[in-house]
Amino acid sequence: MKKTLLCVLFSLFSVIAIFSQEKKSPFTYDMIVDATYHPYADYIPGGNHYSKISGPFDGMEARVIGNMNYTIPVPLGNHWLLNDTNVMLQANIEISPITIKPGIHVDFTPVPFLVFSAGAQIGSGWNLGEILGIGKYNGTDKFEAFSPFEAWLMRWYVSGTFQFDTGAVWPGDWNHFQLMYTYQMYYEALSNVRDGDIWMWQNGSNMANGLSSLQTLIVAYEMPLVLSRVGCMFEIEGHYSASDYPGYENFKGDFLMMSINPLCQFTFDDKNRITLVGTFKTRRSFAEPHERSAEEIKLTYTGYEWYFQRFVIRYEHKF
């Protein structure tokens, strides 16, 4: 699987190198740079509650994503709903200070308001001092790192997206109220571990092999200004079945993480934009007090704990 995916990416790079000299190339290229700041919020035992920020710093993250897209027009008719039907093929790679993750992705857009997608990613990581890119739970109270490229994260996914812009019905620069809803089903697993083992990847801990879902709803308003979009993104994510965590029934393996993400976007020209996002998120609350996420797998779930998770700055550039 690892060799196959890397060969596909290499082939796509080669084709891009040949065709990118053409005047009207179907290829497009873009880059995304994310910088994330995490304040600290105490873990508070008990039922549903909010944990306010209690410390200025709980970590930082950074990553760069490169995308190469090849669009194939496949018009299904002359009607305006069908004449822009297309298939988009993408090769991508994500690089952070502690991980690397290449992938492939396919979008099929039969009509402007529907997009069907599928893809696969594979990645590995290493240590940066005490910061682990990829690791396995030691069975007691911490995660232990794998050697660089010893273990691999694998992810396959399919999704469907409904999207609507009122500007398509009522043309005008100030008429763009936008709605987008995506339902994604994905399978995520780590090599060198058995089903039921607990592992971590990047900033996420207490993870397990299994089938999960991710639902995303974006409501936004677009304007013909430098401040081009304001809105909010809502997400719900979690495992379909608690059986992915055998032996940890009190942990509630099918817990659904929810997040509310106010956002604003600044567009400077056709090639450059910056998005600012703040994230309020849920995590499990437990009956027992604790200080580190590595302790949670053996605790007893009691409810939801809301907290301010992060502030993200995203820069996007189209080549």
Side-chain angles (χ1 to χ4, degrees), residues 152-164:
W152 293 81
L153 173 76
M154 295 165 285
R155 180 184 176 117
W156 299 267
Y157 60 88
V158 293
S159 67
T161 297
F162 171 81
Q163 55 192 11
F164 181 71

Side-chain angles (χ1 to χ4, degrees), residues 16 25-30 67-71 88 319:
I16 288 172
S25 173
F27 288 95
T28 57
Y29 318 87
D30 62 88
N67 297 314
M68 296 167 293
N69 312 303
Y70 181 82
T71 302
M88 190 273 289
F319 294 96

Side-chain angles (χ1 to χ4, degrees), residues 61-76:
E61 296 179 82
R63 66 176 181 176
V64 177
I65 303 171
N67 297 314
M68 296 167 293
N69 312 303
Y70 181 82
T71 302
I72 306 170
V74 287
L76 301 179

Side-chain angles (χ1 to χ4, degrees), residues 14 57 61 65 78 113 126 140 143 148 150 177 218 271 304 312:
S14 301
F57 184 76
E61 296 179 82
I65 303 171
N78 295 322
F113 54 84
W126 49 87
T140 54
F143 290 89
E150 177 187 1
F177 292 92
I218 299 175
K271 295 186 175 183
Y304 285 84
V312 181

Side-chain angles (χ1 to χ4, degrees), residues 33 58 67 70 80 101 110 131 141-142 170 180 186 235 261 276 310 319:
V33 180
D58 193 35
N67 297 314
Y70 181 82
W80 66 272
K101 184 170 66 174
I131 303 174
D141 61 352
K142 68 177 182 178
W170 299 288
M180 184 177 74
Y186 67 89
E235 290 187 322
N261 308 266
L276 307 180
R310 64 185 182 180
F319 294 96

Side-chain angles (χ1 to χ4, degrees), residues 240-252:
Y240 283 105
S241 175
S243 63
D244 293 334
Y245 290 81
Y248 302 107
E249 287 75 16
N250 292 336
F251 179 69
K252 191 171 174 57

